[in-house]
């Protein structure tokens, strides 16, 4: 973790419908195939775990959306605003998500990540996620192609937390 850049005064709060405009703008700048406003609104309506990371000054630094199952959590979206990436905010949100898993008694946190997203994959592996499978053609890609997803999982039970 980059202790110099990390903004320890940043805090998490629930995402609401009023935040969807700002969130969609961050999303559109961060991905070639972003979630739509409708995807975010549907997630909120479905009661998914949706959090914003805000700086002390009120800037939206990033967000995550996760779906709780019986005893597991599926991370659907984690994004840091493009200009704020590489400053520890992604790791900070994973820390909060693991705390949320413990609170909601989810033993496992899992996610899909594009095979080409080496930066995010590296973060997850360093954090302690294990590669558990591949979903062929899971994501849309440029020129009408499809891209595989790596499926990764983090065991929460047993008190394991981030790999420091
Ligand atoms: C992936 C993402 C959420 C990570 O958040 P972030 O705030 O940029 O990452 P952090 O600053 O917390 O860095 C986490 C780790 O990645 C490393 N890292 C940061 N920038 C990096 C880069 N450009 N290349 C490689 N590693 C990098 C950091 O060193 C850190 O490792 P450490 O904690 O073991 O020291 C963020 O970059 C992002 O939103 N990317 C675009 C959207 C995306 O890909 N989302 C994930 C979809 S599955």
């Amino acid at each position: 973790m980059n202790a110099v850049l990390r903004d320890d005064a940043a805090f998490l709060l629930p995402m609401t419908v009023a935040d969807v405009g700002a969130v969609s703008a961050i999303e559109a700048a961060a991905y070639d195939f972003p979630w739509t406003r409708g995807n975010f609104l549907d997630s909120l309506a479905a009661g998914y775990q949706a959090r914003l990371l805000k700086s002390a000054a009120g800037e939206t630094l990033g967000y995550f959306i996760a779906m709780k199952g019986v005893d597991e959590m599926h991370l659907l979206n984690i994004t840091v605003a493009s200009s704020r990436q590489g400053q520890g905010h992604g790791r900070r949100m994973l820390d909060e998500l693991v705390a949320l898993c413990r609170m909601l008694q989810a033993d496992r946190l899992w996610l899909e990540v594009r095979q080409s997203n080496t930066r995010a994959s590296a973060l997850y592996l360093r954090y302690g996620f294990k590669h558990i499978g591949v979903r062929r053609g899971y994501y849309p890609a440029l020129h009408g192609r499809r891209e595989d997803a790596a499926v990764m999982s983090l065991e929460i039970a047993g008190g394991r937390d981030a790999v420091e």
Side-chain angles (χ1 to χ4, degrees), residues 4-148:
V4 176
L5 288 172
R6 178 161 162 163
D7 179 358
D8 286 321
F11 60 97
L12 270 284
L13 76 171
M15 185 190 296
T16 69
V17 170
D19 301 312
V20 167
V23 164
S24 299
I26 291 173
E27 175 84 7
Y31 296 97
D32 287 334
F33 297 91
W35 278 25
T36 64
R37 282 178 60 91
N39 293 143
F40 287 107
L41 291 171
D42 288 348
S43 296
L44 292 175
Y48 294 165
Q49 300 295 326
R51 302 284 189 279
L52 294 180
L53 182 66
K54 289 265 195 183
S55 73
E59 178 191 358
T60 301
L61 301 169
Y63 49 86
F64 69 77
I65 293 184
M67 182 174 66
K68 173 76 170 53
V70 176
D71 55 8
E72 62 181 23
M73 189 79 84
H74 183 185
L75 179 55
L76 302 174
N77 189 327
I78 180 166
T79 306
V80 172
S82 298
S83 63
R84 298 301 226 128
Q85 291 174 11
Q87 299 176 7
H89 301 309
R91 182 174 268 269
R92 165 70 188 277
M93 287 197 286
L94 286 176
D95 290 347
E96 298 282 350
L97 190 50
V98 167
L100 191 61
C101 287
R102 291 210 169 95
M103 201 175 79
L104 298 177
Q105 299 180 330
D107 298 336
R108 193 167 75 111
L109 172 61
W110 63 279
L111 56 82
E112 290 95 5
V113 56
R114 280 180 187 270
Q115 295 278 25
S116 62
N117 195 346
T118 50
R119 177 181 184 169
S121 298
L123 163 58
Y124 300 139
L125 289 172
R126 269 202 304 279
Y127 198 84
F129 282 80
K130 301 278 183 281
H131 185 275
I132 58 166
V134 174
R135 292 197 205 286
R136 299 274 170 223
Y138 186 75
Y139 291 109
L142 295 175
H143 313 299
R145 298 202 175 100
R146 306 289 301 181
E147 181 174 352
D148 295 345

